[in-house]
Amino acid sequence: MDTAEPAETSGPLDSGHSARRGGVLTALVFTGAVVVTGGNAVAIRVSNRELDPLFGAAARFAAAALVFVVIMALSGKAWPRGRQLAGALLYGLLNFGLAYGFIYEGLRTVHAGLAQIILASVPLATILLAAAFGLEVFSWRRVLGTVVALGGIAVVSGIGTGGAPQFSIPGVVAITAAAVSVGAGAVVVKRFPPLPIAALNAIGMAVGAGLLAIASVASGERWAVPAAPSTWVALGFLVVSTVAIFAAFLFVLRRWSASATSYQFLLIPIPAVVLSALIDAEPLTPGLAVGGLLVLAGSWAGMRPGKGRSTGRQTKSATMISTSSRRMSRSRSSSRT
């Protein structure tokens, strides 16, 4: 009897350590994805110097989709059907086809700084959509954190200092639609039955690449093989980083809520500005430090779990573990007698 008790109590302790390790790993994956995505912005600027934007985006996602197809084939897992397939197709439509189509179209007439601020509203869109579909409880704390972080992005981008250029209303509408599409894509992943990350990305990116290619042809873009070595380097980085980023995104999304995962869009401008200054010779401003602190503060407020709600879940979980342990003890005692 005495030797059996430590074995029973060691299970929850071990699971607690595993949960903490899993939480650290998820946070590291999230941080790495944010930094790499910031580098993507610079790579896109380089590739757009030679390639038309929609064609470049279509080529990028088509190549990344092939990588995930190979990974899926090597894994030996079955391709999704039914609602799983429907969810993957809808995810591709929203997160790749519509979102990037809107982004590239909007950037034709909207300054990058303003576009960044609009795209930083993805967490707010995700909060509202997740609450509307009953996936998460609406949180004013997260809304406030999003507003604070948006203010930080505005400071970093220099909006309101008199240097903001002119923009078109259709361009702003397009970037806003992209933010909503990305938020909806995250909700779709949570709403539909889960499937392997490789399968979801292979199908989703293939759908997105197809839609972007159609949009490229319809808009009269020129399709050409890159000639400059810098363009090939940028495209290669974009393909590799796309595979890593969206695999990491889904990894985090399986472990965090949709709204918490979407806070990457509030943090991405920080490494994007720093890397752009180092690689693309864009100037660093004093507003970067102030704005960066606001972004971090707002993101922390939005991503951290509520104390009351988490405490309630922990108490309930502890009660269930304790009750189960007592039942096992009684069962063993009765069997021995």
Side-chain angles (χ1 to χ4, degrees):
M1 286 290 292
D2 293 337
T3 57
E5 290 301 321
E8 290 177 6
T9 56
S10 63
L13 289 174
D14 291 340
S15 64
H17 288 302
S18 299
R20 283 193 291 273
R21 287 195 298 268
V24 171
L25 175 62
T26 305
L28 290 174
V29 171
F30 177 87
T31 303
V34 167
V35 174
V36 175
T37 306
N40 266 2
V42 180
I44 290 173
R45 280 173 55 86
V46 174
S47 68
N48 280 350
R49 291 169 185 167
E50 184 177 2
L51 301 179
D52 287 338
L54 291 176
F55 167 66
R60 164 192 175 185
F61 288 122
L66 287 176
V67 173
F68 280 114
V69 168
V70 172
I71 294 174
M72 190 64 185
L74 293 176
S75 70
K77 296 179 180 179
W79 287 93
R81 297 180 179 180
R83 292 193 72 243
Q84 282 187 326
L85 178 59
L89 293 173
L90 188 55
Y91 171 70
L93 170 67
L94 293 169
N95 203 69
F96 298 108
L98 290 179
Y100 281 87
F102 285 134
I103 288 171
Y104 280 110
E105 181 60 32
L107 284 173
R108 296 177 186 270
T109 56
V110 175
H111 183 250
L114 179 57
Q116 249 178 11
I117 293 175
I118 299 173
L119 285 175
S121 66
V122 168
L124 181 58
T126 307
I127 290 170
L128 297 176
L129 289 170
F133 283 94
L135 296 176
E136 300 178 24
V137 178
F138 181 81
S139 171
W140 282 110
R141 173 178 53 79
R142 286 187 169 178
V143 173
L144 178 60
T146 302
V147 172
V148 171
L150 286 174
I153 298 299
V155 173
V156 170
S157 302
I159 301 298
T161 60
Q166 297 295 320
F167 57 87
S168 69
I169 297 300
V172 170
V173 172
I175 300 296
T176 303
V180 175
S181 293
V182 173
V187 172
V188 163
V189 173
K190 288 288 191 180
R191 189 72 176 177
F192 282 79
L195 67 159
I197 290 177
L200 181 59
N201 273 319
I203 296 172
M205 289 183 183
V207 171
L211 291 174
L212 289 166
I214 293 173
S216 176
V217 172
S219 62
E221 287 189 346
R222 182 178 62 93
W223 288 29
V225 177
S230 59
T231 306
W232 281 108
V233 171
L235 278 176
F237 175 80
L238 285 171
V239 171
V240 174
S241 65
T242 297
V243 173
I245 288 168
F246 286 100
F249 171 75
L250 293 175
F251 177 87
V252 175
L253 189 58
R254 297 279 171 82
R255 290 155 179 80
W256 289 0
S257 67
S259 56
T261 306
S262 69
Y263 267 74
Q264 62 177 309
F265 287 92
L266 293 173
L267 296 170
I268 287 170
I270 303 302
V273 171
V274 174
L275 291 172
S276 183
L278 296 174
I279 299 173
D280 207 23
E282 292 199 2
L284 290 174
T285 64
L288 176 61
V290 177
L293 290 175
L294 288 174
V295 171
L296 292 174
S299 298
W300 177 81
M303 286 189 294
R304 70 182 183 88
K307 293 182 178 179
R309 199 173 301 157
S310 61
T311 302
R313 284 198 299 266
Q314 291 171 358
T315 302
K316 182 178 180 180
S317 177
T319 302
M320 292 176 64
I321 292 173
S322 177
T323 303
S324 176
S325 178
R326 287 197 299 269
R327 288 176 178 173
M328 290 174 65
S329 298
R330 293 194 195 102
S331 176
R332 290 180 181 180
S333 298
S334 61
S335 63
R336 291 176 181 176
T337 55

